[in-house]
Amino acid sequence: MSTTLAKQLANAQRELATLQAEYDEFSYIVSHDLSAPLRQIEGFMELVVANNTDSFDDKTKRHIELVLGGSAQAKQLLEALLSYSRLNAATEPYTLLDVNKIVIETQQCFSAVIAEKNAVINCESLPNIIGREAQIKQLFSHLIHNALHYQLPNSRADITINAVEMDDVWQFSIKDNGIGVADKFTEKIFKILRRAVPAKKYAGMGMGLAIARKILQNHHGAIWLESEEGIGSSFYFTISKTISRAVAKDLPL
Amino acid sequence: MTENVRLAEILLVEDNEGDIELTREAFEEAKFRNKLHIAEDGDIALDYLFKRNGYENAVTPDIILLDLNLPSTDGREVLEIIKAEPMLKRIPVIVLTSSQADKDIVESYDLHANCYIVKPVNAMKFMGVVRSVENFWVDIVCLPSVNN
């Protein structure tokens, strides 16, 4: 490498480190300095309620409910944004991951919902991949959660997880028989806090798929879906097959 | 005021519970002359306006208050659909949103919004704005009579 190039690389790396440090500081400030006043609103409003239960008319009670509801929502939003921003750092090392094991563990996490909904998760033999463990676990957790969650009431979730070997990548698919996604929302649902269905019908923040896409970006992969409303959705994603390819793409040049 | 004066039908398209409550309360004082309907997301608003999916008996509103950032179908898209529909395009659409972004303002007017209002953060001011809107669009402005 020429000295000029080496210098440029060093500069770029320094810049990146500065940005990362600024970013970390910003996240810290947001999480701590913003949650303190929110706690204050909630805490003191609850005290007001506890000390004056009988003295409020219905309108005031409704207003208090809205204050508490609003601050609870702000707190949830804050947590959701933080969980997204924490994914920024590609600090977690790549390791060899057994996807079968990850899927089984995820199923165990959701065992209550699976039992309640009488859901079936069909899982063919899945490969080992090179990835960042916590993020890949989170990826499967969000996708399986969605497949279980976005179901018509009383329907029995039927989910199939599959992987196909391609030239350079593994292509995974998670297929469900849920409510599906209208064509016009297939891009929107991957954006932060954007959803295809209102929270009143299906609880949620609009963060799961944004996080999933970010994780795939961190792994130089892609995520997309094929869906038909009322029939179900298939989410696809790709992951590099080899560590050399994955690590090579992490390098700045 | 004569007894056969029809109530002004107002459709509020809004997902935020607090803003719905404040709008309701602001309209309370003038409830003898208008009726407020709520659609909590873009899809419901469109179902209401096109009288489908359980809204077959909905009354076509005289004015629409529209938030831009909505779950499901976005407010911008709702606006675009309203203004492209011959049966609906004459209904004044008042964009009432927390966004101050130039992009949203320009885009809304390009999509033929009748006016664009930024929600005041302060609750009293918010109610004041809603009252002004009601006063202006129901009392002062001459609206086309709904003939369907």
Side-chain angles (χ1 to χ4, degrees):
Chain A
M1 203 187 296
S2 76
T3 31
T4 354
L5 263 181
K7 233 182 229 170
Q8 277 175 352
L9 178 60
N11 280 339
Q13 279 169 335
R14 247 199 315 276
E15 230 168 81
L16 191 66
T18 315
L19 279 175
Q20 184 64 46
E22 265 177 33
Y23 185 83
D24 289 346
E25 196 187 343
F26 181 78
S27 302
Y28 184 86
I29 287 171
V30 167
S31 64
H32 292 81
D33 294 15
L34 228 105
S35 63
L38 279 174
R39 259 205 336 275
Q40 193 172 326
I41 292 170
E42 196 178 286
F44 282 93
M45 209 63 211
E46 275 164 356
L47 270 182
V48 168
V49 175
N51 295 334
N52 306 276
T53 1
D54 302 323
S55 48
F56 294 133
D57 59 13
D58 285 349
K59 197 172 174 181
T60 310
K61 280 182 192 155
R62 171 95 189 116
H63 288 177
I64 290 171
E65 238 172 66
L66 285 166
V67 171
L68 289 172
S71 73
Q73 204 192 345
K75 227 163 59 181
Q76 275 184 324
L77 280 170
L78 192 60
E79 271 159 29
L81 286 171
L82 279 169
S83 66
Y84 183 83
S85 75
R86 276 190 217 107
L87 289 172
N88 194 43
T91 44
E92 205 190 344
Y94 283 106
T95 50
L96 187 66
L97 305 170
D98 178 350
V99 178
N100 285 305
K101 203 173 133 220
I102 289 176
V103 170
I104 289 165
E105 283 171 9
T106 314
Q107 266 177 273
Q108 282 162 355
C109 291
F110 291 122
S111 58
V113 190
I114 291 173
E116 183 202 317
K117 298 204 170 185
N118 215 353
V120 185
I121 300 184
N122 311 296
C123 194
E124 289 167 32
S125 174
L126 299 169
N128 291 341
I129 58 167
I130 310 289
R132 300 181 157 109
E133 189 176 4
Q135 294 188 24
I136 296 295
K137 281 183 173 169
Q138 218 182 332
L139 171 70
F140 276 96
S141 172
H142 283 297
L143 293 176
I144 292 172
H145 167 269
N146 284 356
L148 289 165
H149 186 58
Y150 295 101
Q151 290 279 337
L152 283 173
N154 305 322
S155 91
R156 179 180 180 172
D158 190 347
I159 300 163
T160 305
I161 303 172
N162 195 4
V164 181
E165 187 168 5
M166 317 284 257
D167 282 349
D168 298 333
V169 296
W170 286 104
Q171 181 180 303
F172 287 83
S173 65
I174 296 178
K175 184 175 187 291
D176 66 54
N177 60 336
I179 57 172
V181 180
D183 283 350
K184 63 175 180 180
F185 294 135
T186 50
E187 272 302 308
K188 181 181 173 179
I189 54 173
F190 289 104
K191 291 186 174 157
I192 300 174
L193 302 178
R194 293 288 170 261
R195 308 186 67 214
V197 288
K200 286 225 166 111
K201 273 194 202 152
Y202 290 93
M205 299 294 296
M207 216 40 155
L209 289 176
I211 286 174
R213 188 173 65 174
K214 183 85 175 272
I215 291 170
L216 267 317
Q217 278 168 1
N218 288 353
H219 285 81
H220 314 290
I223 182 166
W224 68 97
L225 80 153
E226 283 168 10
S227 184
E228 201 172 330
E229 271 184 289
I231 306 282
S233 304
S234 294
F235 283 86
Y236 297 91
F237 65 86
T238 53
I239 290 271
S240 287
K241 276 196 316 204
T242 57
I243 189 161
S244 55
R245 195 173 291 275
V247 174
K249 285 191 180 172
D250 269 355
L251 296 173
L253 286 179
Chain B
M1 193 183 278
T2 53
E3 280 201 12
N4 58 2
V5 168
R6 192 176 62 86
L7 295 179
E9 303 280 343
I10 297 162
L11 176 64
L12 171 68
V13 189
E14 172 64 72
D15 66 315
N16 182 282
E17 267 187 295
D19 291 342
I20 293 173
E21 180 70 21
L22 287 176
T23 308
R24 253 200 202 115
E25 286 179 23
F27 273 31
E28 200 122 281
E29 294 166 14
K31 67 179 168 192
F32 60 88
R33 61 180 178 196
N34 59 49
K35 197 160 174 231
L36 185 65
H37 306 270
I38 316 275
E40 293 190 16
D41 65 59
D43 286 346
I44 295 174
L46 292 173
D47 285 346
Y48 184 98
L49 290 166
F50 286 94
K51 305 181 200 241
R52 62 192 185 201
N53 297 333
Y55 292 91
E56 284 75 11
N57 297 320
V59 186
T60 303
D62 297 294
I63 60 174
I64 298 169
L65 302 178
L66 178 68
D67 188 13
L68 285 184
N69 296 314
L70 296 168
S72 71
T73 302
D74 194 59
R76 299 157 189 84
E77 205 182 329
V78 173
L79 177 59
E80 196 171 1
I81 292 169
I82 292 172
K83 293 303 181 184
E85 167 58 44
M87 299 290 279
L88 301 172
K89 66 178 182 188
R90 289 184 191 144
I91 304 171
V93 178
I94 293 113
V95 173
L96 188 57
T97 173
S98 45
S99 165
Q100 304 191 29
D102 283 339
K103 181 175 151 278
D104 283 333
I105 298 173
V106 170
E107 196 185 343
S108 296
Y109 282 114
D110 281 351
L111 292 171
H112 308 293
N114 296 77
C115 72
Y116 188 104
I117 297 172
V118 178
K119 288 175 187 168
V121 177
N122 177 299
M124 301 303 275
K125 281 189 186 149
F126 180 89
M127 287 167 75
V129 163
V130 172
R131 277 191 211 104
S132 310
V133 166
E134 194 268 344
N135 185 39
F136 181 72
W137 287 99
V138 176
D139 246 19
I140 299 172
V141 169
C142 226
L143 296 175
S145 55
V146 185
N147 50 9
N148 53 323

